[in-house]
Structure formats: C-alpha cells, structure tokens
C-alpha cells in the first residue's frame, strides 16, 4: 500500500515503523520524546523500541481513558517536557489511541508555541480517525474536545499489527468510524461493511477509510464546509458518550458505541427533515443494530443530553448544528434541528 499524501505530511502504511526510524534519522531532532499510556507502554512500546533501538528518547506516561483527557494531564505532559529539557527542535511521538493522539497533539502544538509531533496510532479508532486530519484537543466539564487546535502532525505511521493487542469491544468501537465514512461518502464501502463486520476487517478497508478521511480534510482543513460531514452521528453521540462517562461508572460507553447511537438518531433526523428515504433509514439502522448492542437511554437523561449538545463547538447562533444524510454515501452539513426534533430522535432510538 503506497503512502497517502496529506496536508504537508505523509501517512505511511507499508513498513511504517521502519519509516518512522528513517524519518527520525533524517529529521535530526535535538530531542525525541515518546508519549504512552500504561497500556501502550506494555503492549506497543517494545515493538517500537526494537525498531528505534539506536535512537535515544525520553518516555512520558499518562493514565489511559477519556476521563483523563483534560488540562490537568496536559500540564503533566508539559512539565515532563520541561524537566527533560525539551526545546523547539524536539519531537513528540504519540503512541496510543485517540485519547492519547488528541491530547499529545494538543500538548505538542502549544508547548513553547509548538513543537513537532508524529502520530503512531495503536487502536482502530485512532488509525481511521483521530490520528489523521490535524485536530488536537482535550475535554472540559464533560464537553468533548472543546479545547484544541488545528495543527497537522509531521507524519502518521499506521501499523495494523497493533490491532492484535485490542479486545473485540475496542475493535467494534473503531469500526463505527469506518461505518461513518461509508454512510457519508462511499456507499460501496458501506455495502462491504454490512457483510464483513468488525471481525473480518482487512487492511484494504482500513486504508480506504483513511483515504476518505484524508480526502475530506484536504478539501477543507479548518472545517469551514465539507469537513463538517465527518461530524455525522457525533452531535448526539458525543452527548451520550459524555453522559455515560459520568453516569455509567462501572462500564461507560466507548466512543464508537456512543456514536453508533448518534448514527441512528441522526439518520432519523435526516429522514424527519425529508433529506433521507425511509428505506435508507431502515437499511442504516439494521446495519448498526447488527453490530452494536442496545443502550438503555432513559427519558430523564434527555435534558442533560440537550445541555451537553448546546455546548457543542459546531453550533451557530445558539442553534444545534447537525450533518445529516441525503442518501447512503452522501451527507449535507449545517442542518439545524429543534429541541423537539432531537427528543423525537432519542425516542425513536428507545423505541427500537
């Protein structure tokens, strides 16, 4: 698989970790840092260390989990960079899932007004979505990614071998973003996914999903227009994810599980607003429900969900902004929905 060219950087696939070693030797950074969490330190760092055994680096470790993607942990990263003597010719290698690549990218993009960083995503979710496109961010007060920057990495290195370290639930979570890419951009991809499922993913499917994300980002790097379609399912999905994080202490929803709920609700809104046919709605809902178990949304949670949605960074003039489907493989953006319509979409999900 040939490298994918993005905005001033390259996404590597074939022999990607060897490409990382080459990148570092050619770039001649003054200092190299690797950011890991306690999971990737055990399962992924030894693989990277074997490739980079001739490269000196300092290790920075954070605690895994969306609940730790906040300013306090960023301050910890900045302090470690200071303690290790990082200068503006340093590079931060973010080795982990979406939480780590989002937060590591943000920490690097703001430290000393910006140092270089590269992404080495280790989960399916981070490979097909979070590590590509130059969005960095942290959460605040249960609002996802409300603080962040648009800063492109210097390179992305995709090693699908890391996926063998994940359990089925994590794979299923990342699979949701691939479904989204089919729904908003590529109907043929969506058809393939219906028969494959997350258990039979291939490198070709992962590659195609990243291609889609990259094509959209190149067309609209700063999310002024087309890039907004990548938010399909995320307005309601992010609210459900944030709510679950604070209310389902034993087992909160993973990102992909939450946005799968968002897909169903926002597909219903697409139908309700006369953008999306009833047959396409049925096909979409059946495909998602085949993969993702039902989550028991309670009606009393609706006001809290709406409050989270009202803080969404995509909103405009106090209106809650959605990207909605016109057909499978095609999506529009800047579609505004009323509170009543949003509650109706949540009722629709609960009725299934």
């Amino acid at each position: 698989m040939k490298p994918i060219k993005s905005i001033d950087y390259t996404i590597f696939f074939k022999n990607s970790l060897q490409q990382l070693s080459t990148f570092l030797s050619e770039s001649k950074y003054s200092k190299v840092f690797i950011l890991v969490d306690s999971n990737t330190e055990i399962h992924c760092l030894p693989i990277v260390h074997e490739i980079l055994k001739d490269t000196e680096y300092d290790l920075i470790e954070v605690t895994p989990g969306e609940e730790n993607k906040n300013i306090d942990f960023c301050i910890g990263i900045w302090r470690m960079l200071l303690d290790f003597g990082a200068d503006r010719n340093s590079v931060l290698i973010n080795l982990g899932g979406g939480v780590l690549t989002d937060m590591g990218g943000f920490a690097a993009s703001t430290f000393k007004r910006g140092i270089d960083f590269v992404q080495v995503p280790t989960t399916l979710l981070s490979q097909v979505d979070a590590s590509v496109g130059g969005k960095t961010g942290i959460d605040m007060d249960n609002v996802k990614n409300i603080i962040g920057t648009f800063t492109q990495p210097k390179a992305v290195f995709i090693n699908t071998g890391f996926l063998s370290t994940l359990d089925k639930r994590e794979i299923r979570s990342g699979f949701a973003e691939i479904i989204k890419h089919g729904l908003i951009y590529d109907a043929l991809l969506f058809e393939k996914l219906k028969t494959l499922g997350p258990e039979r993913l291939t490198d070709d499917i992962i590659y195609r999903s990243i291609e889609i994300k990259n094509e959209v980002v190149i067309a609209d790097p700063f999310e002024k227009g087309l890039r907004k379609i990548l938010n399909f399912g995320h307005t309601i999905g992010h609210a459900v994810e944030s709510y679950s994080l604070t209310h389902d202490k034993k087992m909160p929803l993973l990102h992909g599980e939450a946005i799968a709920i968002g897909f169903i609700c926002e597909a219903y809104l697409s139908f309700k607003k006369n953008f999306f046919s009833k047959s396409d709605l049925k096909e979409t809902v059946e495909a998602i429900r085949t993969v993702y178990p039902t989550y028991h949304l309670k009606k009393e949670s609706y006001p809290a969900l709406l409050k989270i949605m009202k803080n969404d960074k995509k909103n405009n003039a106090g209106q809650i902004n959605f990207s909605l489907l016109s057909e499978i493989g095609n999506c529009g953006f800047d579609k505004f929905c009323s509170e009543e319509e949003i509650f109706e979409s949540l009722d629709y999900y609960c009725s299934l």
Side-chain angles (χ1 to χ4, degrees), residues 178-214:
I178 304 178
I179 291 175
K180 180 194 75 179
H181 291 153
L183 283 170
I184 66 172
Y185 201 83
D186 188 340
L188 288 177
L189 174 62
F190 182 71
E191 280 299 312
K192 287 180 184 176
L193 297 176
K194 288 196 301 181
T195 57
L196 282 175
E199 298 82 12
R200 297 168 57 202
L201 262 183
T202 64
D203 285 0
D204 286 342
I205 293 291
I206 294 170
Y207 186 90
R208 175 58 186 149
S209 186
I210 295 169
E211 271 189 325
I212 291 170
K213 171 82 183 275
N214 189 57

Side-chain angles (χ1 to χ4, degrees), residues 25 59 104 138 165 167 171 226 239 275 289 302 326 346:
S25 64
L59 195 65
I138 56 173
T165 68
D167 61 25
I171 293 290
L226 180 67
F275 304 137
R289 294 190 74 212
Y302 289 10
S326 53
L346 296 170

Side-chain angles (χ1 to χ4, degrees), residues 277-346:
S277 72
K278 191 171 185 178
S279 61
D280 277 351
L281 173 63
K282 183 174 183 289
E283 184 179 351
T284 300
V285 170
E286 286 178 353
I288 292 163
R289 294 190 74 212
T290 298
V291 178
Y292 298 92
T294 300
Y295 177 72
H296 296 290
L297 269 178
K298 298 176 181 177
K299 215 172 182 72
E300 53 263 36
S301 71
Y302 289 10
L305 293 173
L306 185 68
K307 183 178 179 181
I308 297 169
M309 287 180 230
K310 284 182 174 179
N311 286 323
D312 193 290
K313 58 191 175 296
K314 301 181 293 293
N315 294 345
N316 190 349
Q319 293 180 291
I320 298 176
N321 197 355
F322 290 85
S323 296
L324 299 178
L325 300 169
S326 53
E327 60 182 345
I328 291 173
N330 214 320
C331 189
F333 53 88
D334 289 340
K335 310 295 183 183
F336 300 98
C337 296
S338 68
E339 294 181 14
E340 292 75 17
E341 289 169 331
I342 294 168
F343 287 162
E344 188 176 330
S345 76
L346 296 170

Side-chain angles (χ1 to χ4, degrees), residues 115-127:
I115 63 171
D116 286 357
F117 65 94
V118 301
Q119 310 287 37
V120 185
T122 59
T123 64
L124 181 60
L125 179 65
S126 59
Q127 290 186 359

Side-chain angles (χ1 to χ4, degrees), residues 220-278:
D220 177 23
F222 298 106
E223 204 172 51
K224 301 296 185 184
L226 180 67
R227 185 169 178 167
K228 294 179 183 180
I229 68 173
L230 296 170
N231 294 317
F232 171 71
H234 284 60
T235 300
I236 291 175
H238 272 169
V240 172
E241 183 182 4
S242 295
Y243 182 86
S244 175
L245 199 62
T246 56
H247 289 80
D248 302 327
K249 294 295 186 182
K250 289 186 178 179
M251 189 177 289
L253 290 171
L254 297 178
H255 175 75
E257 295 167 337
I259 64 165
I261 297 168
F263 293 161
I264 291 175
C265 294
E266 295 181 28
Y268 176 80
L269 288 173
S270 303
F271 166 71
K272 180 73 177 177
K273 304 287 272 188
N274 297 315
F275 304 137
F276 201 46
S277 72
K278 191 171 185 178

Side-chain angles (χ1 to χ4, degrees), residues 12-174:
F12 294 96
F13 280 80
K14 190 175 181 181
N15 300 320
S16 64
L17 296 182
Q18 284 79 10
Q19 296 283 358
L20 171 61
S21 179
T22 301
F23 169 85
L24 292 174
S25 64
E26 291 177 350
S27 300
K28 302 195 182 305
Y29 288 107
S30 58
K31 285 183 176 290
V32 176
F33 300 91
I34 301 182
L35 178 66
V36 296
D37 61 31
S38 53
N39 293 323
T40 55
E41 182 179 16
I42 294 169
H43 299 293
C44 305
L45 182 61
I47 299 168
V48 174
H49 179 77
E50 184 62 27
I51 301 296
L52 301 185
K53 55 190 174 186
D54 295 327
T55 300
E56 287 188 17
Y57 63 83
D58 290 303
L59 195 65
I60 301 174
E61 183 185 331
V62 294
T63 307
E66 183 73 33
E67 66 274 17
N68 300 313
K69 195 174 83 173
N70 56 47
I71 192 66
D72 293 328
F73 275 82
C74 262
I75 290 171
I77 296 170
W78 291 325
R79 281 181 175 148
M80 291 296 290
L81 289 170
L82 276 174
D83 289 347
F84 283 131
D87 59 29
R88 294 175 83 173
N89 192 39
S90 302
V91 64
L92 181 65
I93 301 169
N94 297 316
L95 178 66
V99 168
L100 193 139
T101 57
D102 279 357
M103 183 164 60
F106 176 71
S109 70
T110 50
F111 182 77
K112 295 190 175 180
R113 295 201 173 97
I115 63 171
D116 286 357
F117 65 94
V118 301
Q119 310 287 37
V120 185
T122 59
T123 64
L124 181 60
L125 179 65
S126 59
Q127 290 186 359
V128 301
D129 185 58
S131 67
V132 175
K135 277 187 177 181
T136 78
I138 56 173
D139 306 338
M140 186 179 75
D141 293 341
N142 297 322
V143 182
K144 280 181 62 69
N145 300 321
I146 198 67
I147 309 296
T149 68
F150 284 101
T151 308
Q152 302 299 335
K154 290 301 175 183
V156 178
F157 302 90
I158 305 291
N159 177 12
T160 57
F162 286 137
L163 302 184
S164 64
T165 68
L166 305 178
D167 61 25
K168 290 181 180 179
R169 191 176 173 218
E170 285 284 354
I171 293 290
R172 188 174 62 195
S173 176

